[in-house]
PDB file of all heavy atoms in Angstrom:
ATOM      1  N   SER A1048      18.100   9.122  -0.935  1.00  0.00           N
ATOM      2  CA  SER A1048      19.042  10.242  -0.838  1.00  0.00           C
ATOM      3  C   SER A1048      19.251  10.633   0.626  1.00  0.00           C
ATOM      4  O   SER A1048      18.317  10.617   1.426  1.00  0.00           O
ATOM      5  CB  SER A1048      18.476  11.430  -1.626  1.00  0.00           C
ATOM      6  OG  SER A1048      19.036  12.620  -1.177  1.00  0.00           O
ATOM      7  N   SER A1049      20.480  11.004   0.955  1.00  0.00           N
ATOM      8  CA  SER A1049      20.775  11.369   2.345  1.00  0.00           C
ATOM      9  C   SER A1049      20.142  12.712   2.721  1.00  0.00           C
ATOM     10  O   SER A1049      19.992  13.032   3.893  1.00  0.00           O
ATOM     11  CB  SER A1049      22.288  11.428   2.563  1.00  0.00           C
ATOM     12  OG  SER A1049      22.842  12.363   1.670  1.00  0.00           O
ATOM     13  N   THR A1050      19.760  13.487   1.734  1.00  0.00           N
ATOM     14  CA  THR A1050      19.179  14.802   2.036  1.00  0.00           C
ATOM     15  C   THR A1050      17.651  14.782   2.020  1.00  0.00           C
ATOM     16  O   THR A1050      17.019  15.812   2.207  1.00  0.00           O
ATOM     17  CB  THR A1050      19.653  15.844   1.014  1.00  0.00           C
ATOM     18  OG1 THR A1050      19.308  15.374  -0.288  1.00  0.00           O
ATOM     19  CG2 THR A1050      21.153  16.064   1.093  1.00  0.00           C
ATOM     20  N   TRP A1051      17.081  13.608   1.814  1.00  0.00           N
ATOM     21  CA  TRP A1051      15.619  13.525   1.719  1.00  0.00           C
ATOM     22  C   TRP A1051      14.962  13.859   3.055  1.00  0.00           C
ATOM     23  O   TRP A1051      15.397  13.371   4.103  1.00  0.00           O
ATOM     24  CB  TRP A1051      15.201  12.120   1.278  1.00  0.00           C
ATOM     25  CG  TRP A1051      13.725  11.961   1.124  1.00  0.00           C
ATOM     26  CD1 TRP A1051      12.910  12.658   0.291  1.00  0.00           C
ATOM     27  CD2 TRP A1051      12.893  11.028   1.830  1.00  0.00           C
ATOM     28  NE1 TRP A1051      11.619  12.217   0.432  1.00  0.00           N
ATOM     29  CE2 TRP A1051      11.569  11.228   1.357  1.00  0.00           C
ATOM     30  CE3 TRP A1051      13.133  10.048   2.785  1.00  0.00           C
ATOM     31  CZ2 TRP A1051      10.499  10.477   1.832  1.00  0.00           C
ATOM     32  CZ3 TRP A1051      12.055   9.303   3.251  1.00  0.00           C
ATOM     33  CH2 TRP A1051      10.757   9.515   2.780  1.00  0.00           C
ATOM     34  N   GLU A1052      13.940  14.684   2.997  1.00  0.00           N
ATOM     35  CA  GLU A1052      13.205  15.076   4.197  1.00  0.00           C
ATOM     36  C   GLU A1052      11.800  14.440   4.149  1.00  0.00           C
ATOM     37  O   GLU A1052      10.929  14.900   3.411  1.00  0.00           O
ATOM     38  CB  GLU A1052      13.098  16.614   4.253  1.00  0.00           C
ATOM     39  CG  GLU A1052      12.211  17.147   5.349  1.00  0.00           C
ATOM     40  CD  GLU A1052      12.530  16.561   6.704  1.00  0.00           C
ATOM     41  OE1 GLU A1052      13.556  16.945   7.295  1.00  0.00           O
ATOM     42  OE2 GLU A1052      11.758  15.694   7.168  1.00  0.00           O
ATOM     43  N   PRO A1053      11.591  13.348   4.905  1.00  0.00           N
ATOM     44  CA  PRO A1053      10.327  12.610   4.768  1.00  0.00           C
ATOM     45  C   PRO A1053       9.089  13.381   5.213  1.00  0.00           C
ATOM     46  O   PRO A1053       7.988  13.033   4.831  1.00  0.00           O
ATOM     47  CB  PRO A1053      10.533  11.374   5.652  1.00  0.00           C
ATOM     48  CG  PRO A1053      11.644  11.705   6.561  1.00  0.00           C
ATOM     49  CD  PRO A1053      12.497  12.717   5.864  1.00  0.00           C
ATOM     50  N   PHE A1054       9.281  14.402   6.041  1.00  0.00           N
ATOM     51  CA  PHE A1054       8.099  15.081   6.592  1.00  0.00           C
ATOM     52  C   PHE A1054       7.685  16.295   5.768  1.00  0.00           C
ATOM     53  O   PHE A1054       6.785  17.022   6.155  1.00  0.00           O
ATOM     54  CB  PHE A1054       8.367  15.482   8.043  1.00  0.00           C
ATOM     55  CG  PHE A1054       8.975  14.363   8.831  1.00  0.00           C
ATOM     56  CD1 PHE A1054      10.233  14.474   9.387  1.00  0.00           C
ATOM     57  CD2 PHE A1054       8.295  13.170   8.972  1.00  0.00           C
ATOM     58  CE1 PHE A1054      10.809  13.411  10.078  1.00  0.00           C
ATOM     59  CE2 PHE A1054       8.861  12.109   9.658  1.00  0.00           C
ATOM     60  CZ  PHE A1054      10.108  12.224  10.210  1.00  0.00           C
ATOM     61  N   ASP A1055       8.362  16.507   4.657  1.00  0.00           N
ATOM     62  CA  ASP A1055       8.018  17.631   3.784  1.00  0.00           C
ATOM     63  C   ASP A1055       6.733  17.290   3.016  1.00  0.00           C
ATOM     64  O   ASP A1055       6.697  16.306   2.273  1.00  0.00           O
ATOM     65  CB  ASP A1055       9.187  17.857   2.814  1.00  0.00           C
ATOM     66  CG  ASP A1055       8.992  19.093   1.957  1.00  0.00           C
ATOM     67  OD1 ASP A1055       7.838  19.527   1.783  1.00  0.00           O
ATOM     68  OD2 ASP A1055      10.003  19.616   1.453  1.00  0.00           O
ATOM     69  N   PRO A1056       5.670  18.078   3.164  1.00  0.00           N
ATOM     70  CA  PRO A1056       4.409  17.756   2.474  1.00  0.00           C
ATOM     71  C   PRO A1056       4.539  17.699   0.958  1.00  0.00           C
ATOM     72  O   PRO A1056       3.697  17.109   0.291  1.00  0.00           O
ATOM     73  CB  PRO A1056       3.479  18.907   2.878  1.00  0.00           C
ATOM     74  CG  PRO A1056       4.066  19.483   4.115  1.00  0.00           C
ATOM     75  CD  PRO A1056       5.548  19.279   4.004  1.00  0.00           C
ATOM     76  N   ARG A1057       5.584  18.294   0.401  1.00  0.00           N
ATOM     77  CA  ARG A1057       5.751  18.269  -1.060  1.00  0.00           C
ATOM     78  C   ARG A1057       6.056  16.866  -1.584  1.00  0.00           C
ATOM     79  O   ARG A1057       5.964  16.620  -2.779  1.00  0.00           O
ATOM     80  CB  ARG A1057       6.877  19.222  -1.470  1.00  0.00           C
ATOM     81  CG  ARG A1057       6.530  20.679  -1.264  1.00  0.00           C
ATOM     82  CD  ARG A1057       7.685  21.567  -1.632  1.00  0.00           C
ATOM     83  NE  ARG A1057       8.842  21.334  -0.777  1.00  0.00           N
ATOM     84  CZ  ARG A1057       9.987  21.978  -0.888  1.00  0.00           C
ATOM     85  NH1 ARG A1057      10.141  22.886  -1.828  1.00  0.00           N
ATOM     86  NH2 ARG A1057      10.991  21.728  -0.068  1.00  0.00           N
ATOM     87  N   ASN A1058       6.417  15.936  -0.677  1.00  0.00           N
ATOM     88  CA  ASN A1058       6.704  14.560  -1.093  1.00  0.00           C
ATOM     89  C   ASN A1058       5.479  13.832  -1.627  1.00  0.00           C
ATOM     90  O   ASN A1058       5.605  12.801  -2.271  1.00  0.00           O
ATOM     91  CB  ASN A1058       7.195  13.729   0.092  1.00  0.00           C
ATOM     92  CG  ASN A1058       8.629  14.010   0.437  1.00  0.00           C
ATOM     93  OD1 ASN A1058       9.484  13.896  -0.420  1.00  0.00           O
ATOM     94  ND2 ASN A1058       8.887  14.392   1.685  1.00  0.00           N
ATOM     95  N   TYR A1059       4.300  14.327  -1.268  1.00  0.00           N
ATOM     96  CA  TYR A1059       3.097  13.530  -1.514  1.00  0.00           C
ATOM     97  C   TYR A1059       2.059  14.276  -2.339  1.00  0.00           C
ATOM     98  O   TYR A1059       1.860  15.480  -2.184  1.00  0.00           O
ATOM     99  CB  TYR A1059       2.465  13.122  -0.173  1.00  0.00           C
ATOM    100  CG  TYR A1059       3.473  12.501   0.757  1.00  0.00           C
ATOM    101  CD1 TYR A1059       4.094  13.251   1.741  1.00  0.00           C
ATOM    102  CD2 TYR A1059       3.847  11.182   0.598  1.00  0.00           C
ATOM    103  CE1 TYR A1059       5.057  12.693   2.573  1.00  0.00           C
ATOM    104  CE2 TYR A1059       4.807  10.611   1.410  1.00  0.00           C
ATOM    105  CZ  TYR A1059       5.416  11.373   2.404  1.00  0.00           C
ATOM    106  OH  TYR A1059       6.361  10.821   3.203  1.00  0.00           O
TER     107      TYR A1059
END
Side-chain angles (χ1 to χ4, degrees):
Chain A
S1048 158
S1049 58
T1050 56
W1051 181 60
E1052 173 50 74
F1054 313 118
D1055 186 337
R1057 291 178 297 180
N1058 283 305
Y1059 309 97

